[in-house]
Amino acid sequence: MKQIDGHISFAEVERIITQENKSVKIMVQTESMHPYFKAGLDYVVVSPPPADILGKISRGDIILFNIGDDVHLHRIIHYFGTLLEIRGDGMYGKKNLSKITGSDIIGIVTEGTYRGGKPFRTDTTSWKFSAWCWVHSYFIRHQFVRVKRLLKKVFYRKSL
């Protein structure tokens, strides 16, 4: 496994995973997967995808993928044959839902740390259950976020 510091390009990460067929340890750098992953505190190990990736992944799995020239780390929300809908854990709404195909996948997360340093492996029952709950609780979590934003507006106006 190769550990990547914050100064290497994602083109180099993609090359290591796809051409050298090695796993890469990457520090989470953005808040798109918050609250599961905390930027600057948590890391993920991205492994090369199996040859028949579409038969080996499922809802809740976290993948590293290309969209245009950008590389992202998001969770699979829906799976329609060869088409995958993906979204970051901290993103809500249809505009944050992206669609990709299996050929866009660079690698699949197999282990790492989450929520500020707790270790995980994606092949454990507890992680699979947690991922299932996260994907299936989207509607409820989205409603809580909407109420929180509304309350913030109300209290902000009163403080002026």
Side-chain angles (χ1 to χ4, degrees):
M1 175 177 40
K2 185 157 185 154
Q3 184 165 343
I4 301 299
D5 63 12
H7 305 291
I8 193 167
S9 72
F10 277 106
E12 180 67 11
V13 170
E14 183 176 7
R15 187 191 65 73
I16 292 167
I17 293 171
T18 58
Q19 293 176 8
E20 294 181 19
N21 205 31
K22 292 183 179 177
S23 296
V24 178
K25 182 178 178 180
I26 304 171
M27 181 67 67
V28 176
Q29 298 175 5
T30 66
E31 295 293 328
S32 68
M33 290 296 287
H34 182 78
Y36 245 82
F37 298 109
K38 296 185 182 208
L41 294 175
D42 292 319
Y43 72 88
V44 292
V45 175
V46 180
S47 298
D52 57 344
I53 183 74
L54 293 177
K56 305 277 182 173
I57 56 176
S58 60
R59 289 177 75 183
D61 286 346
I62 301 169
I63 57 173
L64 186 71
F65 63 94
N66 275 329
I67 289 187
D69 292 335
D70 296 332
V71 176
H72 299 278
L73 184 75
H74 287 326
R75 190 179 302 271
I76 297 171
I77 303 300
H78 295 289
Y79 190 125
F80 306 105
T82 60
L83 187 66
L84 302 157
E85 287 186 336
I86 42 107
R87 179 189 298 129
D89 288 349
M91 304 168 102
Y92 294 96
K94 294 249 186 230
K95 68 179 181 174
N96 292 315
L97 191 66
S98 299
K99 293 179 178 160
I100 64 169
T101 63
S103 63
D104 298 320
I105 298 172
I106 297 169
I108 187 164
V109 172
T110 55
E111 62 182 283
T113 61
Y114 73 108
R115 295 192 176 162
K118 297 177 186 175
F120 74 90
R121 290 189 50 84
T122 59
D123 58 355
T124 64
T125 304
S126 61
W127 179 262
K128 289 177 184 178
F129 179 71
S130 176
W132 184 90
C133 289
W134 187 260
V135 169
H136 288 84
S137 66
Y138 172 78
F139 178 76
I140 293 168
R141 288 184 291 109
H142 186 124
Q143 299 313 312
F144 279 122
V145 168
R146 292 177 69 191
V147 168
K148 182 179 173 183
R149 288 178 184 158
L150 181 64
L151 291 173
K152 205 176 208 181
K153 277 184 182 178
V154 169
F155 287 115
Y156 177 73
R157 286 183 189 156
K158 287 184 179 181
S159 67
L160 293 178

